[in-house]
Amino acid sequence: MTWTVTPEPFDSPAAVALWRAYYTEVSDRYYLRHENRRTAPEELEREIARADWSELTPPSGRLLVARFAGDAAGTAGVRLLDPATAELKRVFVRPSLRGRGGAQLLVAAAENAARALGATRMILDTRHDLTEARALYTRLGYTETPPHNDDRYAEHWFTKNL
């Protein structure tokens, strides 16, 4: 079985389904950590409806969808913050396909997309409980830095020269 990674519109059926899976997982992990509960269905629907992926569209962004054996399996987004700096957003691989190299391929494709947009540096933020993500970014050459934003959910910030 093989992976493919291609740009896709943020509102495609595959992207929407992957966004729902991503948000469900990170939201549940957050609430389990802080309130010992899963995300209530009405909270989940409200946040999914409020989400705006439009920043991940050309000319200043890209949404990438990974497929494994043809099935939508993961996402990564890139948005240009300034002419030299891109931000990596929403890296996600379906749990059943983790450990098969998809996340590394998505990040590499996102870095290539950032370079194509003119960026020479990629930044990102993540939460403390997303230990797998932090390990991935470190393994791929990202260095932890002081905060570069004030996102209320961000607890770790990383950068990498492209």
Side-chain angles (χ1 to χ4, degrees), residues 111-145:
E111 291 172 355
N112 287 336
R115 286 184 196 96
L117 293 170
T120 57
R121 177 174 77 116
M122 184 85 86
I123 63 172
L124 65 94
D125 63 66
T126 191
R127 294 191 335 228
H128 186 72
D129 62 314
L130 300 177
T131 57
E132 308 92 335
R134 292 187 359 251
L136 171 72
Y137 301 136
T138 299
R139 189 172 69 249
L140 296 179
Y142 286 80
T143 304
E144 194 154 359
T145 64

Side-chain angles (χ1 to χ4, degrees), residues 5-73:
V5 178
T6 56
E8 190 153 332
F10 72 92
D11 57 355
S12 74
V16 170
L18 289 163
W19 162 244
R20 178 175 285 282
Y22 164 87
Y23 189 77
T24 300
E25 180 175 345
V26 298
S27 181
D28 279 352
R29 287 175 75 160
Y30 178 85
Y31 283 117
L32 285 168
R33 177 181 173 207
H34 294 284
E35 298 180 17
N36 199 32
R37 67 176 179 92
R38 295 197 178 278
T39 310
E42 62 276 4
E43 289 172 310
L44 183 64
E45 293 308 318
R46 182 180 60 244
E47 292 304 315
I48 287 172
R50 192 173 71 167
D52 181 11
W53 284 51
S54 63
E55 66 192 3
L56 304 179
T57 60
S60 60
R62 298 288 181 279
L63 176 67
L64 304 167
V65 171
R67 286 183 167 73
F68 184 77
D71 294 328

Side-chain angles (χ1 to χ4, degrees), residues 79 81 85-89 121-125 142 145 148-149 157-160 162:
R79 69 179 181 144
L81 298 178
T85 307
E87 183 177 26
L88 182 62
K89 301 292 290 180
R121 177 174 77 116
M122 184 85 86
I123 63 172
L124 65 94
D125 63 66
Y142 286 80
T145 64
H148 59 256
N149 64 26
W157 295 262
F158 290 85
T159 190
K160 180 180 179 179
L162 299 176

Side-chain angles (χ1 to χ4, degrees), residues 3 93-103:
W3 287 95
V93 173
R94 289 191 185 275
S96 63
L97 295 170
R98 292 180 185 159
R100 298 181 185 203

